[in-house]
Each structure stands twice: as C-alpha cells, then as structure tokens.
Amino acid sequence: MEAEIRSSQHNRPFRELLTAKFILVAVAVSFIGILLLYLGSIERFWIGRDGVQALVNQLGSILVVSVSLALIWELLGKRAFAREIFENSRAMGDIEASGIQSIGTDYVSDPDWGELFRGVRELDIFVAYARTWRNSHLERLRDLAQVKGARIRVILPDPECSETVSTLARRFDMTEGDLRSAIEEARRDFIGLRNPEGAEVQVYYRKGDLVFSLYRFDARAVVTLYSHSQRRGQVPNVVCKSSGTIYSFVVDEFNGVLEQSRNSEK
C-alpha cells in the first residue's frame, strides 16, 4: 500500500504537467476558433466569397465545440470513468477473493444442491433442525451414508440447555416444546442414516445461539442466514468455494463450534 501511495505521489507532477499542457493547447485552439468566427462575421471580407465565409464559420465552430467537449472529458469525464473502472475492478477482486460462486434468497431452490451432493465425501452441517432441507434431500443423504469412507457430521442446538431452547424458540416463533421435538426429530433422522458398511455419521449438541446455518460439501460450502422478523420467508444464502475467504471462515467456524459441542448420544 505504501508503495502504491508513493508511486501515485511520484506520478502526480507528471499528470499535472500533462493536464497543464493540454489546457494551454486547448486555450490556443479555442482562441483560433473564436478568431475564425470573428473573421467570418465581418461581411466586407467575404463579398463574393460566401462559400469561403461559411467554411471559416464552420471551422471556427468545430474548433470551439471540440475543445469544449475535450476539456469537459479531460477535467471531468475521464476521471469519473477511471474511478468507475477502478471501483468495478476492486469489487471484482473482492468477489474473487471471497470465493463466492452464487448468491440467492431461497435456500431451498437457489443453491444447486444436487450438484453440491454429487461426489461429496465429507458433509458438515450446522443447523437448528433443518426439517425442510432434511426432508428435501433425504434420498441424497441416504446415498451418501452408503459410501464407505465418507463422513457426515451434524451439529444441532442442545435441547437440554433451557437458555438455548428459549432463545431459538423466540427466534423461530415456536414453543419450547415444539423446538425440542424438532431437534430430537432431526437427531433421529440423521442417526438413522447410519450403515455399518457405509459412512461415519455423528450428531452433536451445542449450547448457544445460532445466527446462520452452515453446510460444507468437501471444497464448497453454503451459508444461510436467519430472519429476525419471526416470519417464514426467503433468506439470503451464499455458495462459496474453497479458494476463498468465506470458505475458510466456514471451516474455522464449524471446527470452533465442534469443539464446544458434545456427542448427542452421551
């Protein structure tokens, strides 16, 4: 950053010199244009030479208008255009660095879940209970559970922690009893995926609030936000790849949450 600032400061006198030269040339050309317009207005010079007079007037007009437009571009337009290009380039660089592949508002249909499940070997899930998502992808989850050497890890809220349950129940506009039932239903469904010859399936409980859901499919991940309005509806979701900063956040976040969790079967 310091090098960029020094370079910018070093080049500024050169840019200022070019701008000054351009303005001087523009003033000179404008003077010529105004002079031609003045000469073209003196009728006694052009008696019997109407065509030449019209040419002089047109040439003067062209010079004045062209210089005016060039000055506007040089002093205002070019800088605004350069700023826009720079801002767009910086935004594209930020998106590339984040690893974002897609953004949607319907977590059920916007991510290409079928493509995310295809060939996956490690699936990490951090959700409240994910009933809709779980039922929508039950067959895919069962197929993954049949793969020997694969792994499914699920982290759910701890139903035995009253503070956790009451906080989430208010968030989802549910009774505490209904939320506990939904969490237990999710645990049973995920545990029920187990196959002695298939994937490793582990379900954990964690005390504390949830502010988003995480789904990691090998080298890609989905982050789904929660709504605070207590209304069912669309919420933003982001699909990212392993080369970006958001994926790194997902991995670190899941590992950190896992350290805070306990095995749901103990």
Side-chain angles (χ1 to χ4, degrees):
M1 178 61 71
E2 290 181 359
E4 292 177 359
I5 293 174
R6 290 187 188 127
S7 175
S8 176
Q9 291 173 342
H10 175 75
N11 292 330
R12 190 175 299 157
F14 179 70
R15 291 199 300 269
E16 291 175 351
L17 179 61
L18 286 178
T19 301
K21 286 183 176 179
F22 177 83
I23 291 175
L24 287 175
V25 172
V27 169
V29 174
S30 294
F31 178 77
I32 294 173
I34 293 171
L35 180 61
L36 290 174
L37 288 174
Y38 173 73
L39 293 175
S41 66
I42 303 176
E43 297 294 338
R44 66 176 182 273
F45 286 172
W46 311 108
I47 297 175
R49 292 180 292 179
D50 293 343
V52 178
Q53 182 184 15
L55 178 62
V56 170
N57 282 326
Q58 290 180 4
L59 181 58
S61 299
I62 290 172
L63 291 177
V64 172
V65 172
S66 299
V67 169
S68 299
L69 292 176
L71 275 173
I72 293 172
W73 169 251
E74 177 65 25
L75 299 178
L76 299 176
K78 185 167 70 175
R79 286 167 174 76
F81 180 71
R83 282 195 299 271
E84 183 176 350
I85 292 296
F86 174 74
E87 290 171 358
N88 288 340
S89 299
R90 185 170 58 182
M92 290 301 297
D94 291 343
I95 292 174
E96 182 65 27
S98 71
I100 293 176
Q101 288 188 316
S102 66
I103 300 175
T105 56
D106 187 342
Y107 83 98
V108 175
S109 59
D110 280 339
D112 190 347
W113 295 108
E115 201 273 332
L116 289 167
F117 267 101
R118 190 172 299 116
V120 67
R121 301 283 294 183
E122 294 183 359
L123 174 60
D124 290 334
I125 304 171
F126 177 38
V127 293
Y129 52 90
R131 178 180 290 141
T132 301
W133 183 87
R134 193 175 69 247
N135 291 332
S136 298
H137 305 290
L138 187 57
E139 288 304 316
R140 289 171 175 149
L141 289 167
R142 287 172 176 167
D143 290 342
L144 175 58
Q146 302 300 315
V147 179
K148 187 175 181 60
R151 184 185 70 192
I152 302 174
R153 297 184 297 184
V154 182
I155 302 177
L156 300 170
D158 192 335
E160 296 181 11
C161 176
S162 58
E163 183 178 354
T164 298
V165 172
S166 63
T167 298
L168 293 177
R170 285 193 299 271
R171 166 101 39 87
F172 301 140
D173 195 22
M174 301 172 63
T175 67
E176 294 184 14
D178 286 344
L179 179 59
R180 285 192 173 93
S181 296
I183 295 172
E184 176 57 27
E185 175 190 280
R187 189 192 74 86
R188 286 197 309 269
D189 283 355
F190 283 118
I191 292 295
L193 296 172
R194 285 177 177 169
N195 184 317
E197 303 299 324
E200 174 189 357
V201 180
Q202 294 293 335
V203 180
Y204 301 88
Y205 284 151
R206 173 187 177 268
K207 297 178 181 179
D209 196 6
L210 281 80
V211 293
F212 48 77
S213 296
L214 301 178
Y215 306 82
R216 185 184 72 86
F217 298 79
D218 290 340
R220 286 175 295 178
V222 180
V223 179
T224 300
L225 304 185
Y226 287 148
S227 171
H228 294 84
S229 64
Q230 295 186 332
R231 290 179 298 180
R232 304 289 180 177
Q234 295 181 332
V235 292
N237 60 83
V238 178
V239 181
C240 57
K241 56 186 178 181
S242 62
S243 59
T245 55
I246 295 181
Y247 179 88
S248 298
F249 168 78
V250 168
V251 173
D252 292 343
E253 189 76 358
F254 187 88
N255 290 337
V257 170
L258 187 61
E259 291 177 0
Q260 303 167 2
S261 304
R262 65 180 178 88
N263 193 311
S264 66
E265 297 174 90
K266 295 181 181 179

